[in-house]
Amino acid sequence: MLATTGPAAANSPTDLPNRQAAIDTLNSADTRSSLCNFYDEPVPDESPGDEVQIPDKADPCEGVPSFSISDPVALNEITPEFVAGTARPVAAEAIKLSYALAEVTFSGGRTATAMLAPTDTSHTTAWHLAAVEAGDDEVTLARKGDAETTVFSEQELDAFYQLSRDTVAPLNDAARQGLGGADSVSLTDYQGLVKARYADEGPGSAYDQGGLAGGFKTGAPVRPSSSQSSEPMIAGGSGAAALALAFGAFRLRRRKRITSD
């Protein structure tokens, strides 16, 4: 049996909407099968679009060590409008809840991250498993939020920041580089930085028309949108995530799709 463990503390002042639904999804038979499939496969390479076939087993978890799943935490991301400069530099417009993350720990010490996406744009009903990724770096960083601060990510850089009132502080090396080495900047100054970074990569730009919006060529698998029903993506690494600058799209990641056909 799967079990969620760990504190149910909020990762942002607004907490995770419908937390129980997220926990139920994490404990479902479908999620369990996906996690066992993940464990069974060798780590894929970084080539987008290729498929790896999973051996057909009556029980996907046959021979897979026992594992536990932590309580889910929020993964916030900067909004496309904030990047474009059309949103005000205030928390309510600068960041949004995109995913719920949970750490998966297999007996023997191997870790993975289960990533849930909301089934509707209001984030108030159900969740579904969108991806399984190797390692637990994102969960560890996302847990640094509390009632006074909110953790958010800039996925193009794989950077994580902490927002306290209107001050942005880095939480990892990528974020420190993203702030030009500064210990902190105002949210207004941070908006200027990301706008400058991605100003030439928005819809209609040469970058976008070349199929590179989000940092990857077209053809790379995309996380399913709220209106799609699809199997989760399985990723071999937690780095190299990309902000999908096709405004409103889910993030892209270098990953192989693993199928059971």
Side-chain angles (χ1 to χ4, degrees), residues 37 53-60 62 259-261:
N37 284 336
Q53 297 296 319
I54 295 176
D56 189 15
K57 296 191 301 184
D59 179 5
E62 178 184 354
T259 66
S260 56
D261 298 333

Coordinates of all heavy atoms in Angstrom, one line a residue, residues 37 53-60 62 259-261:
N37 N 6.5 1.4 -13.2 CA 7.1 1.4 -14.5 C 8.3 2.3 -14.6 O 9.3 2.0 -15.3 CB 6.0 2.0 -15.5 CG 5.0 1.0 -15.9 OD1 5.2 -0.2 -15.8 ND2 3.8 1.5 -16.3
Q53 N 10.2 1.1 -24.7 CA 9.1 0.1 -24.5 C 9.3 -0.6 -23.1 O 10.4 -1.0 -22.7 CB 9.1 -1.0 -25.5 CG 8.8 -0.5 -26.9 CD 7.4 0.1 -27.0 OE1 6.5 -0.5 -26.5 NE2 7.3 1.2 -27.7
I54 N 8.2 -0.6 -22.3 CA 8.2 -1.3 -21.0 C 7.8 -2.7 -21.2 O 6.8 -3.0 -21.9 CB 7.3 -0.6 -20.0 CG1 7.8 0.8 -19.8 CG2 7.2 -1.4 -18.7 CD1 6.9 1.6 -18.9
P55 N 8.5 -3.7 -20.7 CA 8.0 -5.1 -20.8 C 6.6 -5.2 -20.2 O 6.3 -4.7 -19.2 CB 9.1 -5.9 -19.9 CG 10.3 -5.0 -19.9 CD 9.7 -3.6 -19.9
D56 N 5.8 -6.0 -20.9 CA 4.4 -6.2 -20.5 C 4.3 -7.2 -19.3 O 4.7 -8.3 -19.5 CB 3.6 -6.7 -21.7 CG 2.1 -6.7 -21.4 OD1 1.7 -6.1 -20.4 OD2 1.4 -7.3 -22.2
K57 N 3.9 -6.7 -18.2 CA 3.8 -7.5 -17.0 C 2.3 -7.4 -16.5 O 1.7 -6.3 -16.5 CB 4.7 -7.1 -15.9 CG 6.2 -7.3 -16.3 CD 7.1 -7.1 -15.1 CE 6.9 -5.8 -14.4 NZ 7.9 -5.5 -13.3
A58 N 1.8 -8.5 -16.0 CA 0.4 -8.5 -15.5 C 0.4 -7.5 -14.3 O -0.6 -6.8 -14.1 CB 0.0 -9.9 -15.0
D59 N 1.4 -7.5 -13.5 CA 1.5 -6.6 -12.3 C 2.7 -5.7 -12.6 O 3.9 -6.2 -12.4 CB 1.6 -7.4 -11.0 CG 1.8 -6.5 -9.8 OD1 1.7 -5.2 -10.0 OD2 2.0 -7.0 -8.7
P60 N 2.6 -4.4 -12.9 CA 3.7 -3.6 -13.1 C 4.7 -3.5 -12.0 O 5.8 -3.1 -12.1 CB 3.1 -2.2 -13.4 CG 1.7 -2.5 -13.8 CD 1.3 -3.7 -13.1
E62 N 5.5 -6.0 -10.0 CA 6.2 -7.2 -9.7 C 7.7 -7.0 -9.7 O 8.3 -6.5 -10.6 CB 5.9 -8.3 -10.7 CG 6.5 -9.6 -10.5 CD 6.2 -10.6 -11.6 OE1 5.4 -10.2 -12.5 OE2 6.8 -11.7 -11.7
T259 N 6.0 3.9 -22.9 CA 4.7 3.3 -23.1 C 4.7 1.8 -22.7 O 5.7 1.2 -22.5 CB 4.4 3.4 -24.6 OG1 5.3 2.5 -25.3 CG2 4.5 4.8 -25.1
S260 N 3.5 1.3 -22.5 CA 3.3 -0.1 -22.1 C 2.9 -0.9 -23.3 O 2.5 -2.1 -23.1 CB 2.4 -0.2 -21.0 OG 1.1 0.4 -21.3
D261 N 2.9 -0.4 -24.5 CA 2.4 -1.2 -25.6 C 3.4 -2.2 -26.1 O 4.6 -2.0 -25.9 CB 2.1 -0.2 -26.8 CG 1.0 0.8 -26.5 OD1 0.2 0.5 -25.7 OD2 1.1 1.9 -27.1

